[in-house]
Amino acid sequence: MIKKIALTVGALLLLLGLSCVVWVITVPPLPEAIEQRLQRTLNQPLPPLASDDSGLVRSGDINIWYQLKAPAEQPVHGTVLLINGMGSSSLYWPPKVYEPLLAAGYQVLLTDNRGCGASSRVHNWSKKTAYDLSDMMQDNIEVMNTLGIQQAHVMGASMGGMIAQEMALHHPARLRSLSSIMSSGYVNDPELPVEHAFKYSMLRLFLRYGLSGSEEGMVRLMASTYHFLQGQGGFDVEHITRTTLYELRHRKGFDPQLPTQQATAISLSGSRLQRLEKLEVPTLVIHGDKDPLLDIAHAKKYAARIPNVKTLWVDGMGHAMAPVYVETWMEEVLEFLDTNN
């Protein structure tokens, strides 16, 4: 009897294992057009993405990397601080965001979130010693302090928008304006839709491409992630490929613990919905109606709480910086910045 039970359990485990293998290896391939662009970029020389106008600033016991891009036009009209989202260094901001800002006479400050890009990795992290969004907000304040920047227009994407909201709430005098893109005032809001597909898709993609440890595997993981998030507007395959290669070859690569750390930071920070009702900073909220990660209901709920707010709902935009949509909302951003400069 025991032998039969053992054989049955073994057969079930084998079947489960085979099912998992099939689940992973049957990940749909990237569309042919994206595959061709990816391969072409992989075979091209890799240009430098981080320039000499960069440095490190001490924030507590870690270093935060920054890059300050100066406009050709002088005098400078103001500073725009760009804060990126979960798992993405500042280099993932597309040129279609910062080039119009530079052309309009703004200097652009980009920072790598702690644990990401060229900033310090967070060692000996545990849930008891975990950082939250206010700590990440303070990292950016320290960079501004070191560079002597008293005020800035702050633009954040996804988790970066949450960090930017914390900056506006804690240090309103340091912000000329807040632009919160594809973000949320409370990610774990029980009243709003929860997107489970992203977690399952990321697990599947990581098992398929991330475990190989190869450059091409990581590029495919990032490209497949952006393909999932893109909405109807596509994504910049060349930019994502080049940036991923640059992170692997010339910076610190990717910390596998970072998603857990940043997800915990978001969770620990809780809801900002009530606090946003007292927000004094002029605010622009941008969100797409095809966002597969943060439903547009998040943006509509927190935007409704902000007294001095302007909203832009983008038809077809997902949770990615699709060039066609960036060009559209950057026109709105520039007008908004000029109004509040």
Side-chain angles (χ1 to χ4, degrees), residues 4-68:
K4 288 184 178 180
I5 293 175
L7 289 172
T8 301
V9 171
L12 290 173
L13 290 175
L14 179 60
L15 182 60
L16 178 62
L18 290 173
S19 299
C20 290
V21 170
V22 172
W23 182 64
V24 170
I25 65 175
T26 55
V27 171
L30 290 166
E32 184 62 27
I34 294 178
E35 179 65 33
Q36 290 178 0
R37 293 166 62 189
L38 186 153
Q39 287 294 338
R40 185 166 57 248
T41 308
L42 281 172
N43 294 325
Q44 292 173 346
L46 184 62
L49 299 182
S51 57
D52 294 335
D53 51 1
S54 62
L56 294 171
V57 167
R58 197 71 176 172
S59 178
D61 58 354
I62 63 173
N63 291 320
I64 300 298
W65 184 90
Y66 72 87
Q67 183 173 204
L68 185 63

Side-chain angles (χ1 to χ4, degrees), residues 216-286:
E216 186 167 344
M218 184 56 69
V219 167
R220 290 187 179 281
L221 174 61
M222 295 299 288
S224 297
T225 300
Y226 277 83
H227 180 250
F228 176 83
L229 295 172
Q230 67 182 339
Q232 296 176 349
F235 68 101
D236 191 336
V237 180
E238 291 80 4
H239 175 64
I240 297 304
T241 301
R242 284 193 294 265
T243 304
T244 302
L245 289 175
Y246 194 86
E247 293 284 352
L248 293 170
R249 294 177 184 177
H250 300 292
R251 304 181 98 205
K252 297 181 179 181
F254 299 87
D255 182 357
Q257 301 301 317
L258 185 62
T260 299
Q261 294 178 9
Q262 293 184 337
T264 302
I266 292 172
S267 180
L268 288 174
S269 299
S271 173
R272 288 172 297 283
L273 294 175
Q274 287 190 334
R275 291 187 290 147
L276 286 171
E277 294 176 357
K278 299 179 179 180
L279 184 63
E280 302 171 1
V281 177
T283 302
L284 173 63
V285 173
I286 301 173

Side-chain angles (χ1 to χ4, degrees), residues 84-150:
N84 215 342
M86 180 179 289
S88 298
S89 76
S90 61
L91 299 186
Y92 279 93
W93 280 99
K96 286 186 179 293
V97 170
Y98 59 77
E99 286 179 351
L101 296 170
L102 294 170
Y106 292 96
Q107 65 177 1
V108 178
L109 175 60
L110 302 105
T111 60
D112 285 343
N113 291 317
R114 56 172 63 192
C116 189
S119 291
S120 296
R121 297 291 181 262
V122 180
H123 302 292
N124 301 318
W125 180 91
S126 70
K127 290 189 176 181
K128 291 183 178 180
T129 61
Y131 56 88
D132 61 15
L133 296 181
S134 64
D135 296 312
M136 303 177 79
M137 169 271 296
Q138 191 60 38
D139 294 340
N140 287 279
I141 292 293
E142 293 298 337
V143 173
M144 290 176 61
N145 290 342
T146 299
L147 297 179
I149 298 172
Q150 295 304 311

